[in-house]
Amino acid sequence: MTSSAALAATDSPDLGTLPTWDLTDLYPGMDAPELAADLDRTDAQAKAFQERYAGALAGLSGDALAQAIADYEAIDETLSRVMSFASLTYSGNMADPVIGKFYQSAQERVNAISTQLIFFTLEINRLEEEAVAARLADSPALARYAPWLRDVRLYRDHQLTDEVERLLHEKYVVGRAAWNRLFDETIAGLRFPIGGQDLTCAEALNRLSDRDPAKRREAGEVVGRVMGENSRLFALITNTLAKDKEIEDTWRRYPSPTAARNLSNRVEDEVVDALVSAVKAAYPDLSHRYYAMKATWFGQDHLDYWDRNAPLPNDADRSIRWDEARDIVLGAYGRFSPDLATLGRRFFDNPWIDAPVRPGKAPGAFAHSTVPSVHPYLLVNYQGKTRDVMTLAHELGHGVHQILAGKQGHFLSDTPLTLAETASVFGEMLTFRALLAAETDPARRRLLLASKVEDMLNTVVRQIAFFDFERRVHTERRAGELTADRIGEIWMAVQTESLGPALRFDEGYRHYWSYIPHFIHSPFYVYAYAFGDCLVNSLYAVYQDAEQGFADKYLAMLTAGGTLRHQDLLAPFGLDATDPAFWQKGLDVIRGFIDELAQTPT
């Protein structure tokens, strides 16, 4: 991949023309004069900003503080634009050493510039509450930034001295960021010899949903073997990052490994604990029950792990072309809200999506918000499965959410991860419900329902199991380094507990923890998926019974970005995530789907 222009759209005989993104809306290329000029300009602005404001915040009026925040925001947005371009270029081809060098150089330069700005939020957090409240009352300009100030000041009890904060910031590029890069480039470079081909990680994992059971088994065994051959390296990365997190958490006085993530998500510890407890208590009713049913559909007492996501025996496993997937998703969005579909169509009418699978490309899928002055980009690895259509609907939900929230500006558009998953999961639900409503054939309807149940189990049960795995690993790491075998034992214990007695595992499966990037890049991120799924299930129930105007309230919720907390965002819909019954409502939707499957003739 080159960063100076869009890759040509890729023609697939089965999938049609798959789009690739064009990053020139950010910068024309890695060596673009515009990029170099932005870095030089922000470097000078950061120096001037530090000279003007360091040590002076306590004496500023409300209007003067508002101007300082606006200046700080402008510098940060430019630096974010640079890093968006660098990270997206890198995601397109992690195997290219020239791109890798550019990505690392961009990180180091941006890190050096932003080090000059560290003092700003530290000094804001040293202001007394009364002084901040008085300035907010006196200055409408500062009041606009009240949500940002609220969120910055959440970290007052956890910030360190200026010198230590600078040290941690400067060392990031050769610390956590370097270990992240090592993980990414290792995964991107792995090849899995399956069916006479050397497949990428994304392609190998996709074989686990192949119609041919022999191909699924081969893929399952090869993935386990290749990951096992590299397990010592992945264990080293995991141990190092867990220890790094423990050290920083201790210095910052976080009481548990999950506390920092909960704070960044603006969600109370007890709300997360209630979600996790509710899902774990529901394992027997949900995953255990469903996979036992699926085993019987395959005429077996147990289901091998490589068959967990297998198509059902009578599933035609039709390949879905890209243009059909686009129309399915946009049609579902449009029936809910024409405005939402109009926003979504922009991603297809412009080169904002990178869809083909190719060597070196980041596996999985994501939506990158970049900065409000540009637009988001979507990365998927589209292979024509129904799950790929749902992934497209999911990432498009993120994309339209980011466009709507972008109206709040750079600082106020950022949404906590828990609510950042709402639009994406809601988009999936709209797409599924549209497909289900249009299906009149009972057998095909059953297949759709089973596919949705599996997606929901992957989103809710599997992600909470991932969270539980992380919590056990980070907790045990505090007593000393964990071997790859020990991490595998924890993985197997969590997987057996969450997936149930109907699943059958072999030794190779104990290495499957090692390819999951969330554990490396965003510790404890994963519960946000379950949070979003259960929230959307409750939200969709309100939508089905709602009076006219639900769509308008929904779009207003997305447009709020990071200005409101989850309590305020959900209040117009009569929902409250602090109510323990809230999570049961979401889980009951999955139970209902499984009940319907149990009553449907095979």
Side-chain angles (χ1 to χ4, degrees):
M1 172 182 176
T2 62
S3 58
S4 58
L7 294 168
T10 301
D11 288 317
S12 165
D14 298 320
L15 305 178
T17 301
L18 299 178
T20 53
W21 56 28
D22 183 346
L23 303 181
T24 56
D25 285 348
L26 290 165
Y27 291 102
M30 293 186 290
D31 56 354
E34 296 92 333
L35 192 156
D38 274 355
L39 287 170
D40 290 342
R41 177 172 52 82
T42 52
D43 194 3
Q45 289 173 335
K47 286 185 174 69
F49 184 89
Q50 185 179 35
E51 290 172 2
R52 180 176 183 181
Y53 290 113
L57 297 193
L60 295 182
S61 67
D63 286 346
L65 181 57
Q67 183 59 57
I69 294 172
D71 293 344
Y72 177 67
E73 180 180 32
I75 297 170
D76 189 78
E77 180 163 359
T78 302
L79 295 178
S80 296
R81 182 178 187 138
V82 170
M83 283 314 304
S84 290
F85 176 74
S87 62
L88 289 171
T89 301
Y90 180 63
S91 295
N93 189 352
M94 295 175 173
D96 188 326
V98 175
I99 292 176
K101 177 184 177 181
F102 165 71
Y103 177 59
Q104 180 67 21
S105 298
Q107 283 195 105
E108 292 178 5
R109 183 73 191 281
V110 167
N111 182 276
I113 294 170
S114 58
T115 298
Q116 302 169 89
L117 306 173
I118 288 175
F119 78 91
F120 190 60
T121 55
L122 299 178
E123 286 196 29
I124 284 176
N125 283 346
R126 293 193 191 105
L127 298 175
E128 295 298 330
E129 285 291 346
E130 297 78 7
V132 173
R135 286 169 172 79
L136 286 169
D138 292 341
S139 171
L142 185 62
R144 176 181 177 273
Y145 287 105
W148 181 80
L149 286 167
R150 173 201 67 199
D151 291 343
V152 166
R153 288 173 65 80
L154 286 174
Y155 296 92
R156 291 181 74 191
D157 294 338
H158 305 288
Q159 72 180 33
L160 306 173
T161 65
D162 291 17
E163 291 77 11
V164 174
E165 292 287 0
R166 269 199 308 274
L167 176 64
L168 291 174
H169 186 79
E170 289 191 44
K171 285 178 64 65
Y172 172 76
V173 293
V174 292
R176 176 171 291 276
W179 289 100
N180 287 346
R181 181 182 172 192
L182 175 62
F183 173 86
D184 288 340
E185 293 188 2
T186 302
I187 289 288
L190 292 180
R191 292 296 177 266
F192 300 80
I194 300 171
Q197 303 177 64
D198 285 334
L199 303 183
T200 65
C201 185
E203 291 170 323
L205 294 171
N206 186 61
R207 290 290 181 95
L208 295 175
S209 57
D210 195 279
R211 180 147 191 80
D212 186 341
K215 292 181 179 179
R216 294 195 301 270
R217 177 171 185 167
E218 182 187 17
E221 292 175 343
V222 170
V223 168
R225 184 177 74 246
V226 172
M227 301 313 295
E229 291 167 353
N230 293 273
S231 63
R232 287 189 63 190
L233 173 59
F234 290 123
L236 174 61
I237 295 171
T238 300
N239 273 288
T240 302
L241 290 176
K243 185 63 179 178
D244 177 78
K245 187 178 188 307
E246 178 198 350
I247 293 169
E248 187 163 336
D249 282 354
T250 300
W251 275 75
R252 294 192 182 281
R253 299 179 298 279
Y254 285 114
S256 70
T258 60
R261 173 62 64 192
N262 294 346
L263 185 64
S264 69
N265 280 343
R266 319 293 186 254
V267 62
E268 301 79 7
D269 290 350
E270 54 269 24
V271 171
V272 177
D273 291 342
L275 165 64
V276 174
S277 297
V279 174
K280 293 182 73 172
Y283 284 169
D285 289 344
L286 303 181
S287 48
H288 296 190
R289 183 185 178 202
Y290 175 77
Y291 292 125
M293 288 169 52
K294 186 169 184 177
T296 64
W297 297 338
F298 279 81
Q300 301 173 9
D301 294 330
H302 292 82
L303 202 64
D304 289 305
Y305 70 87
W306 53 73
D307 290 333
R308 186 174 61 83
N309 288 323
L312 297 189
N314 56 346
D315 190 343
D317 200 23
R318 180 177 68 90
S319 183
I320 301 171
R321 289 173 55 88
W322 176 259
D323 53 356
E324 183 182 356
R326 174 201 63 205
D327 293 346
I328 289 170
V329 174
L330 289 179
Y333 276 45
R335 281 183 286 275
F336 171 72
S337 165
D339 291 340
L340 198 66
T342 297
L343 287 175
R345 184 169 293 280
R346 294 175 64 187
F347 288 84
F348 297 94
D349 291 345
N350 296 283
W352 299 355
I353 306 177
D354 196 88
V357 177
R358 60 177 178 270
K361 179 179 175 179
F366 63 73
H368 191 306
S369 58
T370 71
V371 291
S373 55
V374 187
H375 56 77
Y377 284 92
L378 310 183
L379 180 144
V380 297
N381 282 276
Y382 189 79
Q383 299 180 72
K385 305 289 187 183
T386 300
R387 281 192 178 89
D388 294 319
V389 178
M390 292 299 172
T391 297
L392 180 61
H394 181 102
E395 300 306 339
L396 189 66
H398 280 307
V400 297
H401 188 183
Q402 290 158 357
I403 288 177
L404 288 167
K407 299 172 185 177
Q408 301 291 343
H410 180 55
F411 277 165
L412 300 180
S413 64
D414 189 37
T415 306
L417 290 180
T418 43
L419 289 167
E421 292 300 331
T422 300
S424 54
V425 179
F426 197 82
E428 282 189 77
M429 182 63 82
L430 289 173
T431 303
F432 166 71
R433 292 286 189 175
L435 289 171
L436 194 67
E439 188 55 68
T440 57
D441 178 71
R444 182 62 193 163
R445 180 182 174 85
R446 176 174 166 271
L447 293 172
L448 284 171
L449 201 59
S451 177
K452 181 58 178 174
V453 167
E454 293 191 8
D455 285 343
M456 296 174 91
L457 293 179
N458 284 332
T459 302
V460 177
V461 169
R462 190 158 168 79
Q463 299 301 328
I464 290 301
F466 284 176
F467 175 80
D468 192 23
F469 167 76
E470 284 189 277
R471 189 162 55 181
R472 295 189 195 188
V473 167
H474 280 257
T475 300
E476 191 167 319
R477 176 65 180 89
R478 295 190 169 196
E481 183 166 290
L482 281 66
T483 64
D485 285 343
R486 177 56 189 153
I487 299 174
E489 288 173 359
I490 297 172
W491 173 258
M492 293 296 284
V494 168
Q495 293 299 297
T496 301
E497 177 186 349
S498 62
L499 299 178
L503 264 291
R504 182 165 48 211
F505 305 104
D506 66 12
E507 282 298 300
Y509 190 71
R510 67 173 49 247
H511 306 297
Y512 269 59
W513 58 271
S514 56
Y515 72 79
I516 298 169
H518 291 93
F519 298 158
I520 304 302
H521 290 284
S522 306
F524 304 106
Y525 175 104
V526 289
Y527 76 74
Y529 290 114
F531 191 109
D533 196 279
C534 288
L535 187 156
V536 164
N537 289 341
S538 298
L539 196 63
Y540 200 89
V542 175
Y543 165 54
Q544 288 179 307
D545 299 331
E547 74 288 352
Q548 194 133 4
F550 179 93
D552 291 337
K553 288 194 291 186
Y554 176 77
L555 294 179
M557 177 179 72
L558 302 188
T559 303
T563 62
L564 299 175
R565 301 283 182 85
H566 65 83
Q567 299 96 326
D568 301 316
L569 289 169
L570 295 178
F573 305 97
L575 299 174
D576 180 5
T578 64
D579 181 355
F582 173 83
W583 303 114
Q584 291 303 328
K585 292 177 184 177
L587 297 173
D588 283 344
V589 173
I590 310 177
R591 287 191 185 94
F593 286 161
I594 297 175
D595 288 343
E596 185 174 343
L597 281 171
Q599 295 162 10
T600 304
T602 58

